[in-house]
Amino acid sequence: MPIKKKSANLLPTKAMKEWSTVGIKGYVMLMLEFMKLSPTYELARKANNEGLSRAEKKSLPKDFDQVLSTYEEFGDLSTITFNEWWKERGIYIYGTDFEKPKVRLIANVEKGEKVDSAFHRALDHYFKTSRMQEGEVPSLILSVPLGMNKRYVLSQVTKLIDQAGVSVPVKAQKAKKSLAAKRLRSAPLFTMIHLLRNKAANPNLELWRLGVIANVSPANMEGLDAKAVKVTSKTTDQRINMQILTSRFLLKAKRTVEHAARGNFPCSTPIDLPDFNYEEIYQRYKKSQSAKKASK
């Protein structure tokens, strides 16, 4: 379902909308890659297009409405590139409708100058125009004396800002739609994606080998060769340990996939998991990659 856009005369420029997404756009791209791997999100796509079979309807999770709601917002991701999706939907989901707030001069008062109607007009313009365009964020109206030591003046301004007690939102929460985690780390997310894709391509491959390929635990894989035809007893404990670590990481990755399908990312807390048909997931991944290459 296409997202309704504002009329042209009210629609802010792209630059106005995108400033709040700086720092999270890459994580949104990762989120979409997780969603593409979700069996539940694929069911939402089917439900909105060709329909579900009787068996598929029986397999739906209790919170499938939440997945459908996410699908309505994010749309069909199966063949669209991220850049195309961002222009069509992403910017309207994560971008802000307002200009980036900035420090501005409302009026300049000369020495000995008394109150003037122009001051009221300038203040009125700020409240009715500039402040509205910036989303009416918390602000200070200050009297900044000129002709004094700049360091002293700035220290006074800093003190007033601190006294106001307004916290600066973390990167993950600056956009119109916040990400789930306050602290964002891309490395584990890339490893999860790599592990899931390799599991889909090689569903019967031993877990320790998958762990080595996906670089799940560099500290525990030294000396292990994922392509080794013969393995020795010297690496038995190491392979068992890598298998355990990979199993845990795979579970975490699948949880992250299903949370993403519900619009909650990045998150790996316990959640009911569907059956991961890796052959189907791999076919969807290949279809997505083919569409991406065709668009270049």
Side-chain angles (χ1 to χ4, degrees):
M1 178 179 177
I3 294 177
K4 293 181 180 179
K5 299 181 181 180
K6 299 181 180 179
S7 58
N9 61 326
L10 295 177
L11 185 65
T13 65
K14 182 181 176 183
M16 286 165 61
K17 294 180 70 69
E18 202 156 12
W19 66 266
S20 64
T21 67
V22 174
I24 70 157
K25 195 172 176 181
Y27 289 93
V28 176
M29 181 171 65
L30 273 172
M31 178 182 179
L32 266 59
E33 293 304 313
F34 275 91
M35 293 165 78
K36 290 176 185 178
L37 299 175
S38 167
T40 313
Y41 197 79
E42 171 62 10
L43 288 175
R45 186 199 66 77
K46 284 185 176 181
N48 277 271
N49 292 278
E50 59 262 37
L52 299 174
S53 67
R54 185 175 298 178
E56 287 172 332
K57 288 178 180 178
K58 286 184 178 180
S59 71
L60 297 178
K62 295 178 181 178
D63 63 347
F64 191 58
D65 283 347
Q66 187 177 350
V67 184
L68 287 172
S69 177
T70 304
Y71 182 87
E72 183 177 343
E73 185 176 26
F74 284 77
D76 185 353
L77 307 174
S78 59
T79 57
I80 193 170
T81 66
F82 178 76
N83 287 337
E84 290 171 337
W85 177 85
W86 184 259
K87 290 176 183 176
E88 290 180 14
R89 290 179 180 255
I91 191 64
Y92 300 99
I93 297 172
Y94 291 94
T96 178
D97 295 325
F98 306 105
E99 292 182 16
K100 185 175 183 179
K102 64 181 180 180
V103 176
R104 64 180 68 247
L105 175 67
I106 294 176
N108 189 11
V109 184
E110 300 295 337
K111 184 176 180 179
E113 191 173 3
K114 307 301 181 183
V115 66
D116 185 273
S117 59
F119 297 148
H120 296 294
R121 287 197 297 272
L123 193 59
D124 194 51
H125 175 78
Y126 166 70
F127 274 99
K128 290 184 177 180
T129 304
S130 304
R131 183 166 167 74
M132 296 288 287
Q133 291 172 346
E134 293 176 350
E136 298 181 299
V137 297
S139 305
L140 296 176
I141 296 179
L142 304 176
S143 167
V144 181
L146 302 179
M148 300 190 69
N149 182 278
K150 189 185 293 184
R151 181 176 296 179
Y152 168 76
V153 173
L154 290 177
S155 70
Q156 296 297 303
V157 172
T158 299
K159 188 179 293 184
L160 289 171
I161 292 173
D162 292 341
Q163 288 174 358
V166 178
S167 59
V168 179
V170 295
K171 179 171 63 176
Q173 297 178 343
K174 283 185 179 180
K176 184 164 64 177
K177 184 182 180 72
S178 300
L179 296 180
K182 290 184 178 180
R183 185 175 175 224
L184 299 174
R185 296 174 60 235
S186 61
L189 296 172
F190 276 112
T191 303
M192 288 181 197
I193 285 287
H194 194 32
L195 178 60
L196 282 168
R197 286 173 178 170
N198 276 281
K199 176 67 174 173
N202 307 280
N204 298 318
L205 194 64
E206 295 165 284
L207 282 178
W208 74 265
R209 295 182 190 271
L210 283 172
V212 172
I213 293 170
N215 203 28
V216 166
S217 178
N220 289 279
M221 56 183 276
E222 188 175 347
L224 291 178
D225 182 2
K227 296 180 180 179
V229 178
K230 294 182 179 180
V231 292
T232 66
S233 57
K234 291 181 180 180
T235 60
T236 299
D237 290 342
Q238 196 177 3
R239 282 184 279 112
I240 292 174
N241 191 34
M242 178 58 75
Q243 181 162 323
I244 293 171
L245 291 172
T246 304
S247 177
R248 290 174 180 170
F249 208 77
L250 184 61
L251 175 60
K252 191 174 182 179
K254 291 196 286 188
R255 287 173 174 173
T256 303
V257 160
E258 286 306 301
H259 275 295
R262 290 155 175 81
N264 188 25
F265 181 86
C267 180
S268 60
T269 56
I271 185 173
D272 289 339
L273 295 175
D275 175 49
F276 274 65
N277 186 321
Y278 289 109
E279 185 176 344
E280 288 184 4
I281 291 173
Y282 185 59
Q283 292 305 316
R284 293 204 307 272
Y285 171 66
K286 287 202 302 182
K287 182 181 178 181
S288 175
Q289 290 301 103
S290 296
K292 191 180 295 183
K293 289 178 181 178
S295 68
K296 290 181 179 179

